[in-house]
Amino acid sequence: MALQCGIVGLPNVGKSTLFNSLSSARAQAENYPFCTIEPNVSVVTVPDERLDKLAALVNPQKILPTTVEIVDIAGLVKGASKGEGLGNKFLGNIRSTNAIVHVVRCFDNDNVVHVDGSVDPVRDKEVIDTELQLKDLETVEKAVDKYAKASKGGDKVALATADLLRALVNHLSEGKSARLFDDTTEENWNKYIKPLDLLTAKPVIYVCNVDEESVHEGNEHVNKLKEAVKDENAEVLLISGAIEADINELDEEEERIEFLKEYGLSEPGVNKLIRACYQILNLITYFTAGEKEVRAWTVRKGSTAPQAAGVIHTDFERGFIRAEVIKYDDYVSLGSESAVKDAGKMAVEGKEYIVHDGDIMHFRFNV
């Protein structure tokens, strides 16, 4: 399931440093704008302690986690919507992603140049918001013209759609992102707005790149950003790029654990970010557990049992008969599949069953 989160932000806010910590790939992270020209893509493992616990019980030959794709996109500057800097390339790369990780600089360091000369996370956020909104405004205005022309022939649906999109134009013109537009029904959104693939309709996670001392409680810069985004229903994460870069240089797991303890951290900040990306993409995990492998599988939230089976193989979905389902907590507390069966805790589900995060599933099919 090739769903992507794109890392965006102004030049020199720590995007590529963060990407390097997420991935074994090494994007350039030099102290000057536009050092990342082409988007770097990495498939990263989603940390999930449930997989480790299942593997400890089953002792399989292989352990296979689920993954998510992260894209490091070149820094944006004012005027990108009109082609300034790497504007067109930047905006095109964002359009191909499913969600946005917006990295904002929330640390002071005279040795790291800021493209606008000073640290102001709210201003920086608004620069990117404005450029994306201007591009979306251009897209929506074209769609309004299309439906307005169609309505001249008496098409009432086209007329209503043009009016809906005009309301969205007004919304964007006020400096508001499309994801905050609620003056419509879910049906109309999916039918008329979603196909426009608007940049500001994508869900967003704000990552505050902070200094080492601010990684727990934040700082004045973080507080200002949180206040600015409080009505966006967006997650705000605190990550120290400097700490993550240092962790990334340590080869031994024991060294990493000791290093994290020095900062009072239980895990790298990028682990939280990966899980947040997974969640913002509306994904959940189910498991299969056997002697050959314990494996995590990715499905969209709300998927049915046959759809989940289809992730393994299309034949599983086409010939689906039933699914045998064990809840994760039951499996761990009872210790084995056989113990779960003996306790009557295994459920047999049909085609209408909606998969829950953490389900352990075995599919019966016939083709």
Side-chain angles (χ1 to χ4, degrees):
M1 184 174 292
L3 297 178
Q4 296 182 335
C5 281
I7 301 178
V8 306
L10 294 179
N12 288 358
V13 297
K15 301 183 310 302
S16 295
T17 298
L18 183 63
F19 179 81
N20 289 345
S21 301
L22 285 163
S23 166
S24 58
R26 289 293 186 269
Q28 295 181 66
E30 301 301 328
N31 182 22
Y32 56 89
F34 305 131
C35 63
T36 304
I37 305 300
E38 297 297 333
N40 296 274
V41 182
S42 182
V43 179
V44 299
T45 297
V46 178
D48 194 331
E49 64 178 12
R50 297 173 301 180
L51 186 67
D52 298 327
K53 288 183 178 180
L54 287 174
L57 292 172
V58 178
N59 193 27
Q61 297 173 22
K62 291 191 296 184
I63 305 171
L64 297 171
T66 192
T67 61
V68 65
E69 290 190 9
I70 306 293
V71 185
D72 180 27
I73 298 172
L76 173 147
V77 294
K78 292 178 183 177
S81 60
K82 303 299 181 184
E84 293 294 326
L86 298 171
N88 292 329
K89 182 182 290 291
F90 174 95
L91 297 170
N93 292 334
I94 294 179
R95 198 177 299 281
S96 67
T97 65
N98 305 93
I100 294 172
V101 176
H102 187 157
V103 181
V104 185
R105 177 172 169 176
C106 292
F107 67 90
D108 295 302
N109 187 335
D110 293 338
N111 294 321
V112 180
V113 177
H114 190 290
V115 70
D116 285 329
S118 62
V119 178
D120 185 338
V122 176
R123 177 202 61 206
D124 294 353
K125 169 199 173 305
E126 290 175 349
V127 167
I128 287 190
D129 282 352
T130 298
E131 295 306 322
L132 301 187
Q133 289 159 6
L134 287 171
K135 200 65 179 178
D136 282 350
L137 193 58
E138 181 183 310
T139 300
V140 178
E141 285 176 338
K142 288 179 181 178
V144 169
D145 290 342
K146 169 188 168 185
Y147 284 106
K149 289 178 182 177
S151 69
K152 291 179 180 179
D155 187 331
K156 293 183 179 180
V157 173
L159 179 61
T161 304
D163 288 340
L164 168 66
L165 295 179
R166 287 191 187 98
L168 180 54
V169 165
N170 293 334
H171 176 87
L172 291 166
S173 298
E174 292 172 358
K176 300 174 183 176
S177 294
R179 60 179 168 273
L180 303 178
F181 181 71
D182 57 8
D183 191 20
T184 186
T185 64
E186 182 178 357
E187 180 181 358
N188 282 341
W189 175 277
N190 290 332
K191 193 170 183 178
Y192 302 113
I193 298 177
K194 189 175 181 179
L196 298 177
D197 196 20
L198 301 178
L199 300 171
T200 65
K202 298 179 187 296
V204 63
I205 300 167
Y206 292 103
V207 174
C208 297
N209 186 9
V210 298
D211 55 82
E212 294 94 328
E213 290 75 21
S214 304
V215 72
H216 291 290
E217 302 297 331
N219 53 35
E220 183 180 354
H221 296 310
V222 172
N223 294 337
K224 288 179 179 178
L225 181 71
K226 285 184 175 180
E227 178 64 22
V229 304
K230 65 182 181 180
D231 297 326
E232 292 190 25
N233 192 31
E235 187 166 0
V236 178
L237 297 179
L238 307 186
I239 294 180
S240 169
I243 291 177
E244 301 302 316
D246 287 342
I247 294 171
N248 206 37
E249 294 300 319
L250 301 175
D251 295 325
E252 299 296 329
E253 184 63 22
E254 290 184 3
E255 291 180 314
R256 294 187 175 203
I257 292 172
E258 287 302 315
F259 183 84
L260 287 166
K261 284 181 180 178
E262 291 179 15
Y263 288 98
L265 299 171
S266 59
E267 64 178 347
V270 292
N271 285 13
K272 297 177 182 178
L273 176 56
I274 294 167
R275 287 195 293 267
C277 288
Y278 195 71
Q279 291 166 3
I280 203 174
L281 291 171
N282 207 29
L283 304 175
I284 61 171
T285 299
Y286 78 86
F287 302 97
T288 53
E291 292 182 1
K292 288 187 176 181
E293 67 178 32
V294 169
R295 182 164 182 166
W297 300 89
T298 299
V299 292
R300 285 190 179 276
K301 190 178 294 184
S303 294
T304 62
Q307 289 171 330
V311 173
I312 299 176
H313 197 285
T314 53
D315 284 349
F316 282 31
E317 181 174 8
R318 184 161 53 91
F320 179 89
I321 299 173
R322 65 180 183 273
E324 296 168 355
V325 182
I326 301 173
K327 296 303 177 185
Y328 170 79
D329 288 342
D330 290 336
Y331 199 110
V332 171
S333 63
L334 293 170
S336 69
E337 183 176 320
S338 59
V340 171
K341 289 179 178 178
D342 291 342
K345 294 286 189 177
M346 177 183 283
V348 178
E349 304 289 355
K351 293 182 178 181
E352 303 304 315
Y353 178 73
I354 302 298
V355 177
H356 294 82
D357 187 51
D359 280 352
I360 300 160
M361 308 185 75
H362 180 72
F363 300 104
R364 302 293 183 181
F365 68 101
N366 183 30
V367 291

